[in-house]
Coordinates of all heavy atoms in Angstrom, one line a residue:
E128 N -21.2 -7.3 15.8 CA -21.1 -8.5 15.0 C -20.9 -9.7 16.0 O -19.9 -10.3 16.1 CB -19.9 -8.5 14.1 CG -20.0 -7.4 13.0 CD -21.2 -7.7 12.1 OE1 -21.5 -8.9 11.9 OE2 -21.9 -6.8 11.7
R129 N -22.0 -9.9 16.8 CA -22.0 -11.0 17.7 C -23.1 -12.0 17.3 O -23.9 -11.8 16.5 CB -22.3 -10.5 19.2 CG -21.3 -9.5 19.7 CD -21.6 -9.1 21.1 NE -22.6 -8.1 21.2 CZ -23.1 -7.6 22.3 NH1 -22.7 -8.0 23.4 NH2 -24.1 -6.7 22.2
D130 N -23.1 -13.2 18.0 CA -24.0 -14.2 17.7 C -25.4 -13.8 18.3 O -25.5 -12.8 19.0 CB -23.6 -15.6 18.2 CG -23.3 -15.5 19.7 OD1 -23.8 -14.7 20.4 OD2 -22.5 -16.4 20.1
V131 N -26.4 -14.6 18.0 CA -27.8 -14.2 18.4 C -28.0 -14.2 19.9 O -28.6 -13.3 20.4 CB -28.8 -15.2 17.7 CG1 -30.2 -14.9 18.1 CG2 -28.6 -15.2 16.2
W132 N -27.4 -15.2 20.6 CA -27.6 -15.3 22.0 C -27.0 -14.1 22.7 O -27.6 -13.5 23.7 CB -27.0 -16.5 22.5 CG -27.1 -16.7 24.0 CD1 -26.1 -16.6 25.0 CD2 -28.3 -16.9 24.7 NE1 -26.7 -16.7 26.2 CE2 -28.0 -17.0 26.1 CE3 -29.6 -17.2 24.4 CZ2 -29.0 -17.3 27.1 CZ3 -30.6 -17.4 25.3 CH2 -30.2 -17.5 26.7
E133 N -25.8 -13.6 22.3 CA -25.2 -12.5 23.0 C -25.9 -11.2 22.6 O -25.9 -10.3 23.5 CB -23.7 -12.4 22.5 CG -22.9 -13.5 23.1 CD -21.4 -13.4 22.6 OE1 -21.2 -12.6 21.7 OE2 -20.6 -14.0 23.3
R134 N -26.5 -11.1 21.5 CA -27.3 -9.9 21.1 C -28.6 -9.8 21.9 O -29.1 -8.7 22.1 CB -27.5 -9.9 19.6 CG -26.4 -9.4 18.8 CD -26.8 -9.2 17.4 NE -27.0 -10.5 16.7 CZ -27.5 -10.6 15.5 NH1 -27.8 -9.6 14.8 NH2 -27.7 -11.8 14.9
K135 N -29.1 -10.9 22.4 CA -30.3 -10.8 23.2 C -30.1 -10.4 24.6 O -31.0 -10.0 25.3 CB -31.0 -12.2 23.2 CG -31.6 -12.6 21.9 CD -32.2 -14.0 21.9 CE -32.8 -14.4 20.6 NZ -33.5 -15.7 20.6
M136 N -28.8 -10.6 25.1 CA -28.5 -10.2 26.5 C -28.4 -8.7 26.6 O -27.8 -8.0 25.8 CB -27.2 -10.9 26.9 CG -27.2 -12.4 26.8 SD -25.6 -13.1 27.3 CE -25.5 -12.6 29.0
M137 N -29.0 -8.2 27.7 CA -29.1 -6.8 27.9 C -27.8 -6.3 28.6 O -27.3 -7.0 29.5 CB -30.3 -6.4 28.8 CG -31.6 -6.7 28.1 SD -33.0 -6.2 29.2 CE -32.7 -4.5 29.3
D138 N -27.3 -5.2 28.1 CA -26.0 -4.6 28.7 C -26.3 -3.9 30.0 O -27.4 -3.3 30.2 CB -25.4 -3.7 27.7 CG -24.9 -4.5 26.5 OD1 -24.8 -5.7 26.6 OD2 -24.7 -3.8 25.4
T139 N -25.4 -3.8 30.9 CA -25.6 -3.0 32.1 C -25.4 -1.6 31.8 O -24.4 -1.1 31.2 CB -24.5 -3.5 33.1 OG1 -24.6 -4.9 33.3 CG2 -24.6 -2.8 34.5
P140 N -26.3 -0.7 32.3 CA -26.1 0.7 32.0 C -24.9 1.3 32.6 O -24.5 1.0 33.7 CB -27.4 1.3 32.7 CG -28.3 0.2 32.8 CD -27.5 -1.0 33.0
G141 N -24.2 2.1 31.8 CA -23.0 2.7 32.3 C -21.7 1.9 32.2 O -20.6 2.3 32.6
A142 N -21.8 0.7 31.7 CA -20.6 -0.2 31.6 C -20.0 0.1 30.2 O -20.5 -0.2 29.2 CB -21.1 -1.7 31.6
V143 N -18.9 0.8 30.3 CA -18.1 1.2 29.1 C -16.7 0.6 29.2 O -16.0 0.8 30.2 CB -18.1 2.7 29.0 CG1 -17.3 3.1 27.7 CG2 -19.5 3.2 28.8
D144 N -16.3 -0.1 28.2 CA -14.9 -0.7 28.2 C -14.1 -0.2 27.1 O -13.0 -0.6 26.8 CB -15.0 -2.2 28.2 CG -15.6 -2.7 26.9 OD1 -16.3 -1.9 26.3 OD2 -15.4 -3.9 26.5
G145 N -14.6 0.7 26.2 CA -13.9 1.2 25.1 C -13.3 2.6 25.3 O -13.4 3.1 26.5
P146 N -12.6 3.1 24.3 CA -12.0 4.4 24.5 C -13.0 5.5 24.6 O -14.1 5.5 24.0 CB -11.2 4.6 23.2 CG -11.8 3.7 22.2 CD -12.4 2.5 23.0
N147 N -12.7 6.5 25.5 CA -13.6 7.7 25.7 C -13.6 8.7 24.6 O -14.5 9.4 24.4 CB -13.3 8.3 27.1 CG -13.5 7.4 28.2 OD1 -14.4 6.5 28.2 ND2 -12.6 7.5 29.2
E148 N -12.5 8.8 23.8 CA -12.4 9.8 22.8 C -13.2 9.4 21.6 O -13.1 8.3 21.1 CB -10.9 9.9 22.4 CG -10.0 10.4 23.5 CD -8.6 10.6 23.1 OE1 -8.3 10.4 21.9 OE2 -7.8 11.1 23.9
Q149 N -14.0 10.3 21.1 CA -14.8 10.1 19.9 C -14.1 10.6 18.7 O -13.4 11.7 18.8 CB -16.1 10.7 20.1 CG -17.0 10.2 21.2 CD -17.4 8.8 21.0 OE1 -17.5 8.3 19.8 NE2 -17.5 8.0 22.1
P150 N -14.2 10.0 17.5 CA -13.5 10.5 16.3 C -14.3 11.7 15.8 O -15.4 12.0 16.2 CB -13.7 9.3 15.3 CG -14.9 8.6 15.8 CD -14.9 8.7 17.3
L151 N -13.6 12.5 14.9 CA -14.1 13.6 14.3 C -15.3 13.2 13.4 O -15.3 12.1 12.8 CB -13.1 14.4 13.6 CG -12.0 15.1 14.4 CD1 -11.0 15.7 13.4 CD2 -12.5 16.1 15.3
P152 N -16.3 14.1 13.3 CA -17.4 13.7 12.4 C -17.0 13.6 11.0 O -15.9 14.2 10.6 CB -18.4 14.8 12.6 CG -17.6 16.0 13.1 CD -16.5 15.4 14.0
Q153 N -17.7 12.9 10.1 CA -17.4 12.8 8.8 C -17.5 14.1 8.0 O -18.3 15.0 8.3 CB -18.3 11.7 8.1 CG -18.1 10.3 8.6 CD -19.0 9.3 7.9 OE1 -19.9 9.7 7.1 NE2 -18.7 8.1 7.9
G154 N -16.6 14.2 7.0 CA -16.6 15.5 6.2 C -17.7 15.6 5.2 O -18.2 14.6 4.7
H155 N -18.1 16.8 4.9 CA -19.1 17.1 3.9 C -18.5 17.3 2.5 O -18.4 18.4 2.0 CB -19.9 18.3 4.4 CG -20.5 18.2 5.7 ND1 -21.7 17.5 6.0 CD2 -20.1 18.7 6.9 CE1 -21.9 17.6 7.2 NE2 -21.0 18.3 7.8
Y156 N -18.0 16.1 2.0 CA -17.2 16.2 0.7 C -18.1 16.6 -0.4 O -17.7 17.4 -1.3 CB -16.5 14.9 0.5 CG -15.6 14.5 1.6 CD1 -15.9 13.5 2.5 CD2 -14.4 15.2 1.7 CE1 -15.0 13.1 3.5 CE2 -13.5 14.8 2.7 CZ -13.8 13.8 3.6 OH -12.9 13.4 4.6
F157 N -19.3 16.0 -0.5 CA -20.2 16.3 -1.6 C -20.8 17.7 -1.6 O -21.0 18.4 -2.6 CB -21.4 15.3 -1.6 CG -21.1 14.0 -2.2 CD1 -21.3 12.8 -1.6 CD2 -20.5 13.9 -3.5 CE1 -21.0 11.6 -2.2 CE2 -20.2 12.7 -4.1 CZ -20.4 11.5 -3.5
D158 N -21.0 18.2 -0.3 CA -21.6 19.6 -0.2 C -20.6 20.6 -0.7 O -21.1 21.7 -1.3 CB -22.0 19.8 1.2 CG -23.0 18.9 1.7 OD1 -23.7 18.3 0.9 OD2 -23.2 18.7 3.0
V159 N -19.4 20.4 -0.5 CA -18.4 21.4 -0.9 C -17.7 21.1 -2.3 O -16.7 21.7 -2.7 CB -17.3 21.6 0.2 CG1 -18.0 22.2 1.4 CG2 -16.5 20.4 0.5
N160 N -18.2 20.0 -2.9 CA -17.7 19.6 -4.2 C -16.2 19.3 -4.2 O -15.4 19.8 -4.9 CB -18.0 20.6 -5.3 CG -17.8 20.1 -6.7 OD1 -17.8 18.9 -6.9 ND2 -17.5 21.0 -7.6
S161 N -15.8 18.4 -3.2 CA -14.4 18.0 -3.1 C -14.0 17.0 -4.2 O -14.7 16.1 -4.4 CB -14.1 17.4 -1.7 OG -14.4 18.3 -0.7
Q162 N -12.8 17.3 -4.8 CA -12.4 16.4 -5.9 C -10.9 16.2 -5.7 O -10.1 16.9 -5.1 CB -12.6 17.1 -7.2 CG -14.1 17.3 -7.6 CD -14.3 17.9 -9.0 OE1 -13.3 18.4 -9.6 NE2 -15.5 17.9 -9.5
L163 N -10.5 15.0 -6.3 CA -9.1 14.6 -6.3 C -8.6 14.5 -7.7 O -9.2 13.7 -8.5 CB -8.9 13.3 -5.5 CG -7.5 12.7 -5.4 CD1 -6.6 13.6 -4.6 CD2 -7.5 11.3 -4.9
K164 N -7.6 15.2 -8.0 CA -7.0 15.2 -9.4 C -6.0 14.0 -9.5 O -5.1 14.0 -8.7 CB -6.4 16.5 -9.7 CG -7.3 17.7 -9.8 CD -6.6 19.0 -10.2 CE -7.6 20.1 -10.3 NZ -7.0 21.4 -10.7
V165 N -6.2 13.2 -10.5 CA -5.3 12.0 -10.7 C -4.8 12.0 -12.1 O -5.7 12.2 -13.1 CB -6.0 10.7 -10.3 CG1 -5.1 9.5 -10.6 CG2 -6.4 10.7 -8.9
K166 N -3.6 11.8 -12.3 CA -3.0 11.7 -13.7 C -2.3 10.3 -13.8 O -1.5 9.9 -13.0 CB -2.0 12.8 -13.9 CG -1.4 12.8 -15.3 CD -0.4 13.9 -15.5 CE 0.2 13.9 -16.9 NZ 1.2 15.0 -17.1
I167 N -2.7 9.6 -14.9 CA -2.2 8.3 -15.2 C -1.5 8.3 -16.5 O -2.0 8.7 -17.5 CB -3.3 7.2 -15.2 CG1 -4.1 7.3 -13.9 CG2 -2.8 5.8 -15.4 CD1 -5.3 6.4 -13.8
E168 N -0.3 7.7 -16.5 CA 0.5 7.5 -17.8 C 1.1 6.1 -17.8 O 1.6 5.7 -16.8 CB 1.7 8.6 -17.8 CG 1.1 10.0 -18.0 CD 2.3 11.0 -18.2 OE1 3.5 10.5 -18.2 OE2 2.0 12.2 -18.3
I169 N 1.1 5.5 -19.0 CA 1.7 4.2 -19.1 C 2.6 4.3 -20.3 O 2.4 5.1 -21.3 CB 0.7 3.1 -19.3 CG1 -0.2 3.4 -20.5 CG2 -0.2 2.9 -18.1 CD1 -1.2 2.3 -20.8
A170 N 3.7 3.5 -20.3 CA 4.8 3.6 -21.3 C 4.3 3.0 -22.6 O 4.6 3.5 -23.7 CB 6.0 2.9 -20.8
Y171 N 3.6 1.9 -22.5 CA 3.1 1.2 -23.8 C 1.7 0.8 -23.6 O 1.2 0.5 -22.5 CB 4.0 -0.1 -24.0 CG 5.4 0.2 -24.2 CD1 6.4 0.1 -23.2 CD2 5.9 0.5 -25.5 CE1 7.7 0.3 -23.4 CE2 7.2 0.8 -25.7 CZ 8.2 0.7 -24.6 OH 9.5 1.0 -24.8
P172 N 0.9 0.8 -24.6 CA -0.5 0.3 -24.5 C -0.6 -1.1 -24.1 O 0.2 -1.9 -24.5 CB -1.1 0.6 -25.9 CG 0.1 0.5 -26.8 CD 1.2 1.1 -26.0
L173 N -1.6 -1.4 -23.2 CA -1.8 -2.7 -22.7 C -2.5 -3.6 -23.7 O -3.4 -3.1 -24.5 CB -2.6 -2.7 -21.4 CG -1.9 -1.9 -20.3 CD1 -2.8 -1.9 -19.1 CD2 -0.6 -2.5 -19.9
R174 N -2.2 -4.8 -23.8 CA -2.8 -5.8 -24.7 C -3.6 -6.8 -23.9 O -3.1 -7.3 -22.9 CB -1.7 -6.5 -25.5 CG -0.9 -5.6 -26.4 CD 0.2 -6.5 -27.2 NE 1.0 -5.7 -28.1 CZ 2.0 -6.2 -28.8 NH1 2.2 -7.5 -28.8 NH2 2.7 -5.4 -29.6
T175 N -4.9 -6.9 -24.3 CA -5.7 -7.9 -23.7 C -5.4 -9.2 -24.2 O -5.3 -9.5 -25.4 CB -7.2 -7.5 -23.9 OG1 -7.4 -7.5 -25.4 CG2 -7.5 -6.1 -23.4
T176 N -5.4 -10.2 -23.3 CA -5.1 -11.6 -23.7 C -6.3 -12.4 -23.2 O -7.1 -12.1 -22.3 CB -3.8 -12.1 -22.9 OG1 -4.0 -12.0 -21.5 CG2 -2.6 -11.3 -23.4
S177 N -6.5 -13.5 -24.0 CA -7.5 -14.5 -23.6 C -6.9 -15.8 -23.3 O -7.4 -16.9 -23.7 CB -8.5 -14.6 -24.8 OG -7.8 -15.0 -26.0
D178 N -5.9 -15.8 -22.4 CA -5.2 -17.0 -22.0 C -6.1 -17.7 -21.0 O -6.4 -17.3 -19.9 CB -3.9 -16.7 -21.4 CG -3.1 -18.0 -21.1 OD1 -3.5 -19.0 -21.5 OD2 -2.0 -17.8 -20.5
S179 N -6.6 -18.9 -21.4 CA -7.5 -19.7 -20.5 C -6.8 -20.4 -19.4 O -7.4 -21.0 -18.5 CB -8.3 -20.7 -21.4 OG -7.4 -21.6 -22.0
C180 N -5.4 -20.4 -19.5 CA -4.7 -21.1 -18.4 C -4.6 -20.3 -17.1 O -4.7 -20.9 -16.1 CB -3.2 -21.5 -18.9 SG -3.2 -22.6 -20.4
E181 N -4.4 -19.0 -17.3 CA -4.3 -18.2 -16.1 C -5.7 -17.8 -15.5 O -5.9 -17.7 -14.3 CB -3.6 -16.9 -16.4 CG -2.1 -17.1 -16.8 CD -1.4 -15.8 -17.0 OE1 -2.1 -14.8 -17.0 OE2 -0.2 -15.9 -17.3
R182 N -6.7 -17.6 -16.4 CA -8.0 -17.3 -15.9 C -9.0 -18.2 -16.6 O -9.7 -17.8 -17.6 CB -8.3 -15.8 -16.3 CG -7.4 -14.8 -15.6 CD -7.6 -13.4 -16.0 NE -7.3 -13.2 -17.4 CZ -8.0 -12.6 -18.3 NH1 -9.2 -12.1 -18.0 NH2 -7.6 -12.4 -19.5
P183 N -9.2 -19.4 -16.1 CA -10.1 -20.4 -16.8 C -11.5 -20.3 -16.4 O -12.3 -21.0 -17.0 CB -9.4 -21.7 -16.3 CG -9.0 -21.4 -15.0 CD -8.5 -20.0 -14.9
F184 N -11.9 -19.5 -15.4 CA -13.2 -19.5 -14.9 C -14.1 -18.4 -15.5 O -13.5 -17.3 -15.8 CB -13.2 -19.4 -13.4 CG -12.5 -20.5 -12.7 CD1 -11.2 -20.3 -12.1 CD2 -13.0 -21.8 -12.6 CE1 -10.5 -21.3 -11.5 CE2 -12.3 -22.8 -12.0 CZ -11.0 -22.6 -11.4
G185 N -15.3 -18.6 -15.6 CA -16.3 -17.7 -16.1 C -17.5 -17.7 -15.1 O -17.7 -18.5 -14.3
R186 N -18.4 -16.6 -15.3 CA -19.5 -16.5 -14.5 C -20.7 -16.2 -15.4 O -20.6 -15.5 -16.5 CB -19.3 -15.3 -13.5 CG -18.3 -15.7 -12.4 CD -18.0 -14.5 -11.5 NE -16.8 -14.7 -10.7 CZ -16.2 -13.7 -10.0 NH1 -16.7 -12.5 -9.9 NH2 -15.1 -14.1 -9.3
I187 N -21.9 -16.5 -14.9 CA -23.1 -16.3 -15.7 C -24.2 -16.1 -14.6 O -24.3 -16.7 -13.6 CB -23.4 -17.5 -16.6 CG1 -24.6 -17.1 -17.5 CG2 -23.7 -18.8 -15.9 CD1 -24.8 -18.1 -18.6
I188 N -25.2 -15.2 -14.9 CA -26.3 -14.9 -14.0 C -27.6 -15.1 -14.8 O -27.8 -14.6 -15.9 CB -26.2 -13.4 -13.6 CG1 -24.8 -13.2 -12.8 CG2 -27.3 -13.0 -12.7 CD1 -24.5 -11.8 -12.4
Y189 N -28.6 -15.7 -14.1 CA -29.9 -15.9 -14.6 C -30.9 -15.2 -13.7 O -30.8 -15.4 -12.5 CB -30.2 -17.4 -14.7 CG -29.6 -18.2 -15.9 CD1 -28.3 -18.7 -15.7 CD2 -30.2 -18.3 -17.1 CE1 -27.7 -19.4 -16.7 CE2 -29.6 -18.9 -18.1 CZ -28.4 -19.5 -17.9 OH -27.7 -20.2 -19.0
L190 N -31.9 -14.5 -14.4 CA -32.9 -13.8 -13.6 C -34.2 -13.9 -14.4 O -34.3 -13.6 -15.5 CB -32.5 -12.3 -13.5 CG -33.6 -11.4 -12.8 CD1 -33.7 -11.9 -11.3 CD2 -33.2 -10.0 -12.9
F191 N -35.2 -14.5 -13.7 CA -36.5 -14.7 -14.3 C -37.6 -14.8 -13.2 O -37.3 -14.8 -12.1 CB -36.6 -16.0 -15.2 CG -36.0 -17.2 -14.5 CD1 -36.8 -18.1 -13.8 CD2 -34.7 -17.5 -14.6 CE1 -36.4 -19.2 -13.2 CE2 -34.2 -18.7 -14.0 CZ -35.0 -19.5 -13.3
E192 N -38.9 -14.8 -13.7 CA -40.0 -14.7 -12.8 C -40.1 -16.0 -11.9 O -39.6 -17.1 -12.4 CB -41.3 -14.5 -13.5 CG -41.4 -13.2 -14.3 CD -41.5 -12.0 -13.3 OE1 -42.0 -12.2 -12.2 OE2 -41.1 -10.9 -13.6
N193 N -40.8 -15.9 -10.8 CA -40.9 -17.0 -9.9 C -41.8 -18.1 -10.4 O -41.6 -19.3 -10.1 CB -41.5 -16.5 -8.5 CG -41.5 -17.6 -7.5 OD1 -40.8 -18.6 -7.6 ND2 -42.3 -17.4 -6.4
N194 N -42.8 -17.7 -11.2 CA -43.7 -18.7 -11.7 C -43.2 -19.4 -13.0 O -43.9 -20.2 -13.6 CB -45.1 -18.1 -12.0 CG -45.0 -16.8 -12.9 OD1 -43.9 -16.5 -13.4 ND2 -46.1 -16.2 -13.1
N195 N -42.0 -19.1 -13.5 CA -41.4 -19.8 -14.6 C -40.8 -21.0 -14.2 O -39.5 -21.1 -14.1 CB -40.4 -18.8 -15.3 CG -40.1 -19.2 -16.7 OD1 -40.4 -20.4 -17.1 ND2 -39.5 -18.3 -17.5
V196 N -41.6 -22.0 -13.9 CA -41.0 -23.3 -13.3 C -40.3 -24.1 -14.3 O -39.3 -24.8 -14.0 CB -42.2 -24.1 -12.7 CG1 -41.7 -25.4 -12.1 CG2 -43.1 -23.3 -11.7
S197 N -40.6 -24.0 -15.6 CA -40.0 -24.8 -16.6 C -38.5 -24.5 -16.7 O -37.6 -25.3 -16.8 CB -40.7 -24.7 -17.9 OG -40.7 -23.3 -18.3
V198 N -38.2 -23.1 -16.8 CA -36.8 -22.7 -16.9 C -36.0 -23.1 -15.6 O -34.9 -23.5 -15.7 CB -36.8 -21.2 -17.2 CG1 -35.3 -20.7 -17.2 CG2 -37.4 -20.9 -18.5
M199 N -36.7 -22.9 -14.5 CA -36.0 -23.2 -13.2 C -35.7 -24.7 -13.1 O -34.5 -25.1 -12.8 CB -36.9 -22.8 -12.0 CG -36.2 -22.9 -10.7 SD -36.4 -24.6 -9.9 CE -38.2 -24.5 -9.6
T200 N -36.6 -25.6 -13.6 CA -36.3 -27.0 -13.5 C -35.3 -27.4 -14.5 O -34.4 -28.2 -14.2 CB -37.6 -27.7 -13.8 OG1 -38.7 -27.3 -12.9 CG2 -37.5 -29.2 -13.7
K201 N -35.3 -26.8 -15.7 CA -34.3 -27.2 -16.7 C -32.9 -26.7 -16.3 O -31.9 -27.4 -16.5 CB -34.7 -26.5 -18.0 CG -33.8 -26.9 -19.2 CD -34.3 -26.2 -20.5 CE -33.4 -26.6 -21.6 NZ -33.9 -26.0 -22.9
L202 N -32.8 -25.5 -15.7 CA -31.5 -25.0 -15.3 C -30.9 -25.8 -14.1 O -29.7 -26.1 -14.2 CB -31.7 -23.5 -14.9 CG -30.4 -22.8 -14.5 CD1 -29.3 -22.8 -15.7 CD2 -30.7 -21.3 -14.2
R203 N -31.7 -26.1 -13.2 CA -31.2 -26.9 -12.0 C -30.9 -28.3 -12.5 O -29.9 -28.8 -12.0 CB -32.3 -26.9 -10.9 CG -32.5 -25.6 -10.1 CD -33.3 -25.9 -8.9 NE -32.6 -26.8 -8.0 CZ -31.7 -26.5 -7.1 NH1 -31.4 -25.2 -6.9 NH2 -31.2 -27.4 -6.3
S204 N -31.7 -28.9 -13.4 CA -31.3 -30.2 -13.9 C -30.0 -30.2 -14.6 O -29.1 -31.1 -14.4 CB -32.4 -30.7 -14.8 OG -33.6 -30.8 -14.1
E205 N -29.7 -29.2 -15.4 CA -28.5 -29.1 -16.1 C -27.3 -28.9 -15.2 O -26.2 -29.5 -15.4 CB -28.5 -27.9 -17.1 CG -27.4 -27.9 -18.2 CD -27.6 -29.0 -19.2 OE1 -28.8 -29.5 -19.3 OE2 -26.6 -29.5 -19.7
I206 N -27.5 -28.1 -14.1 CA -26.4 -27.9 -13.1 C -26.1 -29.2 -12.4 O -24.9 -29.6 -12.2 CB -26.8 -26.8 -12.1 CG1 -26.9 -25.5 -12.9 CG2 -25.8 -26.7 -11.0 CD1 -27.5 -24.3 -12.0
L207 N -27.1 -30.0 -12.0 CA -27.0 -31.2 -11.3 C -26.3 -32.2 -12.2 O -25.4 -33.0 -11.7 CB -28.3 -31.7 -10.8 CG -29.0 -30.9 -9.7 CD1 -30.3 -31.5 -9.4 CD2 -28.1 -30.8 -8.5
R208 N -26.6 -32.3 -13.5 CA -26.0 -33.2 -14.4 C -24.5 -32.9 -14.5 O -23.6 -33.8 -14.6 CB -26.6 -33.2 -15.7 CG -28.1 -33.8 -15.7 CD -28.5 -34.0 -17.2 NE -29.9 -34.4 -17.2 CZ -31.0 -33.6 -17.4 NH1 -30.8 -32.3 -17.5 NH2 -32.2 -34.1 -17.3
I209 N -24.1 -31.7 -14.6 CA -22.7 -31.3 -14.8 C -21.9 -31.7 -13.5 O -20.8 -32.3 -13.6 CB -22.6 -29.8 -15.0 CG1 -23.2 -29.4 -16.4 CG2 -21.1 -29.3 -15.0 CD1 -23.3 -27.9 -16.7
N210 N -22.5 -31.4 -12.4 CA -21.8 -31.7 -11.1 C -21.8 -33.2 -10.8 O -20.9 -33.7 -10.2 CB -22.5 -31.0 -9.9 CG -22.3 -29.4 -10.0 OD1 -21.4 -29.0 -10.8 ND2 -23.0 -28.7 -9.2
A211 N -22.8 -33.9 -11.3 CA -22.8 -35.3 -11.1 C -21.7 -36.0 -11.9 O -21.1 -37.0 -11.4 CB -24.2 -35.9 -11.5
V212 N -21.5 -35.6 -13.1 CA -20.4 -36.2 -13.9 C -19.0 -35.8 -13.2 O -18.1 -36.7 -13.2 CB -20.4 -35.6 -15.3 CG1 -19.2 -36.1 -16.1 CG2 -21.7 -36.1 -16.0
A213 N -18.9 -34.6 -12.7 CA -17.6 -34.2 -12.1 C -17.3 -35.0 -10.8 O -16.1 -35.3 -10.6 CB -17.6 -32.7 -11.8
F214 N -18.4 -35.4 -10.0 CA -18.1 -36.1 -8.8 C -18.5 -37.6 -8.9 O -18.9 -38.2 -7.9 CB -18.8 -35.4 -7.7 CG -18.3 -34.0 -7.4 CD1 -19.0 -32.9 -7.9 CD2 -17.1 -33.8 -6.8 CE1 -18.6 -31.6 -7.7 CE2 -16.7 -32.5 -6.6 CZ -17.4 -31.4 -7.0
N215 N -18.6 -38.1 -10.1 CA -18.8 -39.6 -10.3 C -20.2 -40.0 -9.8 O -20.3 -41.0 -9.1 CB -17.7 -40.4 -9.7 CG -16.4 -40.1 -10.3 OD1 -16.3 -39.8 -11.5 ND2 -15.3 -40.1 -9.5
L216 N -21.2 -39.2 -10.1 CA -22.6 -39.6 -9.6 C -23.6 -39.7 -10.8 O -24.8 -39.6 -10.6 CB -23.1 -38.5 -8.6 CG -22.4 -38.4 -7.3 CD1 -22.9 -37.1 -6.5 CD2 -22.4 -39.6 -6.4
G217 N -23.0 -39.9 -12.0 CA -23.9 -39.8 -13.1 C -24.9 -40.9 -13.3 O -25.9 -40.8 -14.0

Side-chain angles (χ1 to χ4, degrees):
E128 294 299 322
R129 298 183 284 178
D130 54 24
V131 179
W132 179 253
E133 290 180 343
R134 282 187 289 175
K135 291 180 179 179
M136 300 178 64
M137 298 181 62
D138 296 338
T139 304
V143 179
D144 62 339
N147 296 326
E148 297 182 0
Q149 298 294 332
L151 292 175
Q153 292 185 344
H155 303 281
Y156 301 107
F157 277 131
D158 297 340
V159 298
N160 194 22
S161 300
Q162 295 181 349
L163 179 67
K164 295 182 180 180
V165 179
K166 182 179 180 181
I167 304 174
E168 292 184 1
I169 58 178
Y171 299 97
L173 299 176
R174 297 180 180 178
T175 57
T176 60
S177 58
D178 189 5
S179 59
C180 297
E181 295 183 357
R182 296 176 295 133
F184 301 106
R186 296 174 189 171
I187 188 171
I188 299 174
Y189 285 90
L190 177 65
F191 48 89
E192 295 290 333
N193 186 19
N194 53 6
N195 199 343
V196 183
S197 59
V198 175
M199 187 269 296
T200 305
K201 184 177 181 181
L202 182 58
R203 287 193 61 87
S204 301
E205 195 69 24
I206 295 172
L207 292 177
R208 292 191 185 96
I209 295 174
N210 292 347
V212 174
F214 298 103
N215 300 323
L216 298 173

